[in-house]
Each structure stands twice: as structure tokens, then as C-alpha cells.
Amino acid sequence: MQTIPIRNVGEPTGLIDRFQRQYVYLRLSITDVCNFRCNYCLPNGYRPPEHKQRFLTLPEIQRVARTFAHLGTEKIRLTGGEPTLRKDFLDIAHTIAQTQGIRQLALTTNGYRMARDVALWKEAGITHLNVSVDSLDPREFHLITGENKLGEILSGIDKAFEIGYPKVKVNAVLMKQYTAKNLDDFLRWIQHRPIQMRFIELMETGEMDHFFHQQHLSGQSILERLVQEGWQLQTRDLTDGPAKILKHPDYQGEIGLIMPYEKNFCASCNRLRVSATGKLHLCLFGEEGVDLRDLLQDDSQHLQLEQRLKSALQGKREHHYLHLGDSGVRNNLASIGG
Ligand code: SAM
Ligand code: SF4
């Protein structure tokens, strides 16, 4: 395979938009398929579309990783659907981890295979883990995800610490009925664990009916409560992206708040997305995506691919229009990886 020269540390990235935002982080979806039925994401479970989809193959994924790395991407997150459902998941992780220039390889997972496989993930080169846990009550967890697997997932998190991950990020979608009233459970859980508990505001999608209006809760109310209880807002690290991070002297864990409906959310955007079928998405919300697949068929196409990425980026909007009620509706976030 042809070697692509890599930019040196400190050099500006090749992916800069019209608003001088630099893109060093790629969220790469490797499948739309999921085995859970989260009420805010795939309430009826994954249903294959009429026309069979072909997800990116390992060589195509390798070309995506190499080209983005050459343009300055330092961090790649594997997401989905449930990425660990892919039979070649470990090969994908290993291939990306070996890519020159990639310093962080993160995984977002529902954690159902974590207790069994986390050591293999680490061996394959996954450096950072995000696990979705929307409730610490087994019955509620079952209601939210359609799966009675909370115990296994929590043991998977403990196992990750045992085998040497220094920190795990846990995602919970903020919902009035669940997460908000369970805040104390989460706080107790992270008091003596190095977990960054990330509360994500519920985002409206096309598969939701009244759910969004019934359940949406602004992260601001949680932020105010935490600050009153002595949590301190931290200055942002570049790799935190748009999350607000809070720490408390009595807690080993941290809180992250992700509030996409907040004004200025997009100012610190540092990420691009590639879907499991090979489309570049400049934003989680709103556009159709730019097809990359025809330029992923051969190593010799990398310069054309770079050119397409750079020129597509010039079309990235300054911000989304969620706050104006334009949900930029996607059917669900499993089709693009959240
Ligand atoms: N299956 C994996 C998981 O659940 O972690 C990865 C894919 S999932 C689409 C990625 C993240 O998106 C999860 O943390 C999930 O909670 C979040 N998510 C899905 N739908 C959402 C919505 N409507 N609003 C906010 N977050 C959502
Ligand atoms: Fe599956 Fe993740 Fe969506 Fe839940 S949030 S249905 S685990 S893709």
C-alpha cells in the first residue's frame, strides 16, 4: 500500500472551514445495525431499508482513516448503530489504530459485549471508551433500551478499569422521566469512580412523535443544580469539543453536559462525520451528506478524496438551526452515529 506523508505535530490541519474552525476529530460510523431499541433512538429496533445497504469495507475504512489522518485528523471515534456487532470489528480497530497520525481511537458502544471483550478492544488499540447508560435502575434501563442488560454493562465498565483504562465516559440522554430524577444515583455512582458522566440533551429526530416534547429537558437546569451543589465549571480542552465539563472536590468522577440547543454550541465544533455507507456529514443536523465511496476504491485516489473533503468543508454552515425549530430532521441518530 502506498505511503501518504503525514503532517507534523503543531502544523495546521488541512481541514479548516470558512469560520477558521479546524477539524481534528472524525466520528466514523461502521454500521447502522443495532441490537438495542432505545426509546429516543430506535424505538422499534433496527429495520433494514428496502434497498440493501453495503457498509464500508475494511479497505475502504482504512482509506478513510489514512486520508483524514493526512489532513490532520488525530482522533477517530467508532460509532454506529452498535459498532461492536461487526464481525470484523477488531480488525477495523486494529487497522485504524495503526494509521500514522491517529493518536486517539475512541469507541461509543452500548456496552453489551464489553464485559466479554474489553481486553480485546484494548489490545486492538482502542484508547478511549464511551458507554451509554441511561439509568442505573435495571427495570428502567430495560424500559429505555429494550434490553435487560444493565448488570452486564456495569461489570463491563468495572472490567475496563481493571484492565487499565484510566477513565471511562458514560453517556446518558437527558429525559424528564428518567435521567433528571435519577441525577443523585449517577452522582453517587461516580463519587469514587473515574467516570466522566456525560448528560446529552435529547435531540429531536424524525422517528419521534410526541416523545421529544414530552421528554426534552434543557441541560441548563442540571447545570444550575450542580453549580449550587459545589460543582465547578472547567475551562474547555480542545478535545472536549462542545461539552461543558464540571468537577467537584469530593468526587473522583466528572460531569459533562452536551447542550446542542444552546446558542454558540457550534462555535467549538471540531468534528466531522462519515456514515456507515461512506457519506461525509458536515453536521449532525440537516444536510444530505457528500458521497465519498467512489473515491474509496483504490489507494491511488487519495488526492482526489482530499480535494473532495476540503471543498465540501467550505459548505459547512456556521451553526445549525435547531434553536429556530429546524430539527434538520434525521430519522434517528443510529444512522449517523450520534
Ligand atoms: N450504539 C452505541 C451507543 O448507544 O452508545 C453508539 C451509537 S449511539 C447513536 C451514540 C450516542 O447517541 C449514544 O450515546 C446515544 O445515547 C446518543 N443518542 C441517540 N439518539 C439520541 C437522541 N435522539 N438525542 C440525543 N442523543 C442520542
Ligand atoms: Fe442502538 Fe445506540 Fe441507538 Fe441505543 S442509542 S438504539 S444502543 S444505536
Side-chain angles (χ1 to χ4, degrees):
M1 196 167 267
Q2 191 177 333
T3 317
I4 308 177
I6 293 294
R7 106 189 199 288
N8 296 317
V9 179
E11 274 179 37
T13 151
L15 293 172
I16 303 181
D17 70 13
R18 291 179 294 140
F19 309 98
Q20 300 313 309
R21 289 174 297 197
Q22 296 200 28
Y23 295 87
V24 290
Y25 174 19
L26 171 67
R27 295 177 69 104
L28 176 60
S29 175
I30 56 173
T31 181
D32 288 359
V33 182
C34 190
N35 53 338
F36 279 26
R37 298 188 302 279
C38 299
N39 56 3
Y40 49 80
C41 182
L42 293 174
N44 303 312
Y46 171 74
R47 284 164 302 170
E50 275 171 29
H51 301 289
K52 198 173 175 322
Q53 286 171 310
R54 274 189 323 114
F55 299 127
L56 291 172
T57 61
L58 182 59
E60 288 173 328
I61 289 172
Q62 184 171 30
R63 292 183 188 114
V64 170
R66 284 156 46 106
T67 304
F68 272 85
H70 184 234
L71 288 171
T73 298
E74 296 175 354
K75 171 176 173 183
I76 294 186
R77 173 175 302 283
L78 294 176
T79 178
E82 177 47 39
T84 62
L85 285 176
R86 271 192 65 151
K87 291 200 174 62
D88 55 356
F89 175 70
L90 292 176
D91 293 332
I92 293 173
H94 186 256
T95 301
I96 298 179
Q98 296 300 310
T99 304
Q100 208 186 339
I102 299 301
R103 294 177 231 283
Q104 283 188 29
L105 175 59
L107 167 67
T108 303
T109 174
N110 62 27
Y112 93 108
R113 286 253 167 97
M114 196 163 165
R116 195 189 79 180
D117 289 348
V118 68
L120 297 174
W121 301 348
K122 189 158 190 287
E123 229 172 85
I126 291 178
T127 56
H128 291 72
L129 293 170
N130 280 51
V131 190
S132 297
V133 181
D134 295 302
S135 172
L136 291 169
D137 174 284
R139 199 184 51 86
E140 257 183 27
F141 182 90
H142 192 171
L143 277 176
I144 297 170
T145 63
E147 290 291 328
N148 190 10
K149 290 198 164 33
L150 178 68
E152 282 163 68
I153 293 164
L154 297 185
S155 352
I157 295 174
D158 288 340
K159 182 90 185 282
F161 293 133
E162 271 166 40
I163 65 159
Y165 280 99
K167 177 157 123 180
V168 173
K169 291 182 180 174
V170 173
N171 294 347
V173 174
L174 274 177
M175 291 178 278
K176 273 187 193 153
Q177 190 184 347
Y178 305 105
T179 353
K181 77 173 173 43
N182 296 338
L183 187 61
D184 288 333
D185 294 347
F186 285 114
L187 294 181
R188 259 193 306 279
W189 186 50
I190 65 166
Q191 186 157 20
H192 302 296
R193 286 184 178 83
I195 288 178
Q196 186 183 96
M197 189 67 227
R198 295 164 77 87
F199 295 110
I200 308 173
E201 270 184 16
L202 177 66
M203 293 175 247
E204 190 173 9
T205 63
E207 283 185 19
M208 283 175 193
D209 209 356
H210 301 298
F211 190 82
F212 177 78
H213 297 286
Q214 280 165 357
Q215 297 289 352
H216 181 260
L217 175 78
S218 153
Q220 190 60 30
S221 56
I222 306 286
L223 177 65
E224 282 163 17
R225 193 185 135 185
L226 290 169
V227 168
Q228 261 175 14
E229 291 176 12
W231 288 82
Q232 290 149 8
L233 207 49
Q234 307 297 301
T235 42
R236 282 179 196 182
D237 193 275
L238 189 68
T239 56
D240 289 326
K244 287 185 195 303
I245 307 296
L246 293 111
K247 293 188 185 179
H248 190 293
D250 301 339
Y251 287 77
Q252 197 180 352
E254 303 167 354
I255 303 278
L257 284 172
I258 297 151
M259 298 157 60
Y261 290 90
E262 208 199 19
K263 229 174 130 223
N264 279 339
F265 178 77
C266 306
S268 52
C269 185
N270 63 353
R271 62 208 53 204
L272 293 170
R273 293 174 165 81
V274 170
S275 74
T277 52
K279 280 191 170 179
L280 171 73
H281 290 274
L282 301 171
C283 178
L284 183 52
F285 308 98
E287 21 80 345
E288 259 308 295
V290 176
D291 209 345
L292 304 177
R293 207 124 191 214
D294 59 308
L295 296 181
L296 294 173
Q297 302 314 309
D298 192 280
D299 290 344
S300 65
Q301 295 172 298
H302 77 88
L303 287 177
Q304 285 161 279
L305 180 58
E306 282 190 12
Q307 209 38 57
R308 188 173 296 171
L309 293 174
K310 283 181 180 171
S311 73
L313 192 53
Q314 298 318 302
K316 183 165 159 88
R317 299 189 297 191
E318 188 172 13
H319 50 74
H320 62 57
Y321 295 98
L322 287 184
H323 50 293
L324 301 179
D326 172 1
S327 68
V329 168
R330 286 202 190 289
N331 279 348
N332 55 64
L333 297 194
S335 64
I336 192 178

